[in-house]
Amino acid sequence: MAAWGQWAFAADGGDCKKPLYLTFDTGHMEIAPLVADVLRRQQVRVTFFAAQEATKEGDGSLGDHWAPWWRARAAEGHAFASHTWDHVYWRADLGSLAPSRFRVRPSAGERSGQEFALDAAGYCAEIGRSAARLQALTGQKALPLFRAPGGKTSAQLLEAARACGYAHVGWAPAGFLGDELPSERFSNAMLLRQALERIRSGDILMAHLGIWSRKDPWAPAVLEPLIVGLKERGFCFRTMREHPDYQAWFAQHP
């Protein structure tokens, strides 16, 4: 078992036959306290993929204002991984020859909204900066994983990230919980119903700690009923530390 296994949470006695892997990407953080309350009440551990994004309160999602929140989540046994520092979207590969170069567009930071070229070392620095900040905030080494903003990648980008020690984590089709969709077309009731109908054992689920554009926020209405409903269907929750597809990777990157 990789070193990460020491963090396994076993509220259900370890008898987890239908595991799910609930993950949260950062966002404006307004709902972060509510999310933490629900997870604590339901005794569910999740994996947070963090970038330094603009927040409704404080100095960014990985800023000093939110440091106590991150420390508390670490004490509760949650897991953490990088979402790049400036929430950098991959847009295209720039050629197929080494060294790899990519066209990117951050949605945070000083160059937010700008498109520019970034080489593999620069992209790895983006991943590593977030991972280092998470370790400083939580006292816990971030997992050797990352999630590209929007899930947008290429084979070349994934290989560049793996070469510097980070494996990518996407999500299952049914695991897209829809909190960033327009509420005028995708109501919370619809999203809850679809998730309960479609999610299957082993799925990685994805939501955010606040979406600026959604008028009817997802988490207050959906998160706890979703967790309760999934538990009633026999599902249990694990962090990405326990995901079987990554155990060999963790063993190589302790």
Side-chain angles (χ1 to χ4, degrees), residues 7-16 39-45 76-77 231 235-239 242:
W7 295 98
F9 179 72
D12 54 13
D15 185 21
C16 188
L39 298 178
R40 188 183 309 112
R41 186 160 50 245
Q42 293 297 327
Q43 287 293 284
V44 165
R45 301 300 181 263
E76 292 165 351
K231 285 182 174 180
F235 292 103
C236 44
F237 292 87
R238 291 290 180 264
T239 72
E242 291 92 21

Side-chain angles (χ1 to χ4, degrees), residues 3 24 29 31 39 99 116 127 130 141 147 155 161-162 167 190 200 233 245 248:
F24 285 90
M29 299 295 283
I31 64 166
L39 298 178
F116 55 91
I127 301 174
S130 177
K141 185 178 179 181
R147 173 171 288 154
R162 289 179 71 87
M190 175 192 298
R200 297 292 181 266
R233 288 158 173 77
D245 290 354

Side-chain angles (χ1 to χ4, degrees), residues 98-146:
S100 299
R101 296 175 69 249
F102 314 103
R103 188 168 76 245
V104 300
R105 185 174 67 192
S107 66
E110 295 181 356
R111 302 185 73 175
S112 176
Q114 300 177 27
E115 287 205 4
F116 55 91
L118 194 64
D119 62 14
Y123 193 84
C124 285
E126 273 285 326
I127 301 174
R129 186 177 179 187
S130 177
R133 178 59 175 166
L134 282 166
Q135 182 168 351
L137 288 171
T138 66
Q140 174 179 316
K141 185 178 179 181
L143 297 176
L145 306 173
F146 83 107

